[in-house]
Amino acid sequence: MDNTSTSDIVIINGNSHPDLANMVAERMGLKNGGCSVFHKSNRETIVEISDSVRGKDIYIIQTGTKDANNNIMELLIMAYACKTSSARSIVGVIPYLPYSKQCKMRKRGCIVSKLLAKMMCTSGLTHIITMDLHQKEIQGFFDIPVDNLRASPFLLQYIQESIPDYRNSVIVARNPGVAKKANSYAERLRLGLAVIHGEQKEAESDEVDGRYSPPPTSAYSNLLGNSVEMCLPATPRNSTPQHAPSSSSRTRTTSVSVGVPEHPIKVKPPLTIVGDVNGRIAIMVDDLIDDVQAFVAAAEMLKDNGACKIYVLATHGLLSSDAPRLLDESPIDEIVVTNTIPHEIQKLQCHKIKTIDISILIAEAIRRIHNKESMSYLFRNVTLED
């Protein structure tokens, strides 16, 4: 990183992941900027920037953790403080974007990641660097440039260098939604692919709420009939309609008997596996490990089907609640995540968790953006499946 003009770069960070911020600054030959973020007794967030940021390029390193709401407020206040202090540009380096799983409309909820994107743009951020978004389409929520870096080269290298006899492996998607990512890994490593299909419990989208209440049949048909009569134009007596529908057009029209037809009930089959894992090393891949019950259930099924070893690889290791204990008691042999999210406490609780350092990728992205170099080198060989 020694060819970087560092005189006008300032790296600051909040409380979410100071270790990562220090590693990035060290790789770039910089010292972390003087920024203090603390909370008052009433839990309000206070930001104090001791160094001048006027005319500087500011890089705020703040990731998402289990304390997501405080992480977001710290980032927004730091960005706004830099904006009002006349910083030239303010780049948010957010390795794990909080609320990224809430990127679809669910029942009477809302698309929270869209709201978060608007808040970030309003706070003064001029650019976002993130990594392995839950859905790539989230980039469209922002009105500023977004660079969605990939951790897959690090994970692929780990498979090739640290998993003995990885040629005897099969890449496993723990549900059909992860099949694209798993297929990308399988093609790059020239390995087989297996997909686990089915559910153990009712999906969130199938939970019953008040909107499933059907209208009364008689009342609905009366209302429908009245509304149709009101919409028809008045026809004078002793006259025939000029444009009466022909009998052939009526025969091509299909109508339901009464009311609006309802969706058939989904019947989710029990967990089944498509593909052969007998006597093979099973490698599950995903973008996030948070609640681990699904991973444990998938691992138990892989073990029952003859898998000799089971690995789980993911970019973000949130590992909420009692995830370390569940993983430690599970048939999973090793869990490999990057350090986009701090998880040192979880590693003390579960010896199976291993970490890959991705600070060099973030440092290189910052260097290229600051020097106005192309980012395409960091996305070489990336396909739509990644």
Side-chain angles (χ1 to χ4, degrees), residues 153-169 189 281-283 309-313 333-337 352 354-357:
F154 295 87
L155 298 174
L156 289 166
Q157 185 180 32
Y158 182 89
I159 293 173
Q160 293 171 320
E161 296 180 357
S162 301
I163 297 182
D165 194 22
Y166 84 92
R167 288 292 180 191
N168 187 37
S169 302
L189 294 168
I281 300 171
I283 303 174
K309 270 197 161 185
I310 301 170
Y311 291 80
V312 175
L313 277 71
D333 294 284
E334 200 167 279
I335 302 98
V336 182
V337 292
K352 299 179 180 180
K354 295 191 176 180
T355 309
I356 298 175
D357 178 26

Side-chain angles (χ1 to χ4, degrees), residues 257-320:
S257 55
V258 176
V260 178
E262 62 180 25
H263 284 286
I265 297 174
K266 285 184 183 178
V267 179
K268 294 183 185 286
L271 284 176
T272 54
I273 185 163
V274 181
D276 181 24
V277 297
N278 188 27
R280 314 281 289 278
I281 300 171
I283 303 174
M284 283 189 279
V285 295
D286 212 329
D287 64 318
L288 172 68
I289 302 179
D290 187 5
D291 297 322
V292 299
Q293 286 90 344
F295 289 95
V296 172
E300 289 171 350
M301 183 181 179
L302 291 168
K303 205 71 174 176
D304 293 341
N305 280 265
C308 59
K309 270 197 161 185
I310 301 170
Y311 291 80
V312 175
L313 277 71
T315 304
H316 311 296
L318 200 53
L319 302 170
S320 300

Side-chain angles (χ1 to χ4, degrees), residues 143-349:
D143 298 326
I144 55 178
V146 177
D147 286 310
N148 182 28
L149 305 177
R150 304 294 197 273
S152 52
F154 295 87
L155 298 174
L156 289 166
Q157 185 180 32
Y158 182 89
I159 293 173
Q160 293 171 320
E161 296 180 357
S162 301
I163 297 182
D165 194 22
Y166 84 92
R167 288 292 180 191
N168 187 37
S169 302
V170 58
I171 304 297
V172 179
R174 66 176 180 87
N175 60 47
V178 196
K180 270 189 177 182
K181 178 183 284 288
N183 184 59
S184 173
Y185 276 70
E187 289 179 349
R188 282 176 163 78
L189 294 168
R190 293 171 176 82
L191 299 176
L193 176 68
V195 180
I196 296 175
H197 179 261
E199 292 287 340
Q200 279 197 316
K201 60 179 182 178
E202 199 174 64
E204 181 187 347
S205 58
D206 295 332
E207 292 173 1
V208 176
D209 69 0
R211 295 183 301 170
Y212 289 155
S213 304
T217 305
S218 58
Y220 183 79
S221 47
N222 292 338
L223 178 63
L224 187 62
N226 293 338
S227 63
V228 170
E229 290 176 5
M230 292 173 64
C231 294
L232 290 175
T235 305
R237 290 185 177 181
N238 303 325
S239 65
T240 58
Q242 293 181 349
H243 302 288
S246 64
S247 60
S248 61
S249 65
R250 283 198 300 267
T251 57
R252 294 197 303 269
T253 303
T254 303
S255 63
V256 296
S257 55
V258 176
V260 178
E262 62 180 25
H263 284 286
I265 297 174
K266 285 184 183 178
V267 179
K268 294 183 185 286
L271 284 176
T272 54
I273 185 163
V274 181
D276 181 24
V277 297
N278 188 27
R280 314 281 289 278
I281 300 171
I283 303 174
M284 283 189 279
V285 295
D286 212 329
D287 64 318
L288 172 68
I289 302 179
D290 187 5
D291 297 322
V292 299
Q293 286 90 344
F295 289 95
V296 172
E300 289 171 350
M301 183 181 179
L302 291 168
K303 205 71 174 176
D304 293 341
N305 280 265
C308 59
K309 270 197 161 185
I310 301 170
Y311 291 80
V312 175
L313 277 71
T315 304
H316 311 296
L318 200 53
L319 302 170
S320 300
S321 188
D322 56 349
R325 180 185 61 81
L326 294 173
L327 291 172
D328 205 38
E329 297 172 355
S330 73
I332 299 172
D333 294 284
E334 200 167 279
I335 302 98
V336 182
V337 292
T338 71
N339 59 341
T340 56
I341 301 172
H343 49 263
E344 295 305 315
I345 295 175
Q346 289 89 334
K347 287 176 74 174
L348 294 175
Q349 298 170 339

Side-chain angles (χ1 to χ4, degrees), residues 135-146:
Q135 297 287 343
K136 295 188 291 293
E137 292 78 10
I138 293 174
Q139 297 173 81
F141 294 157
F142 291 85
D143 298 326
I144 55 178
V146 177

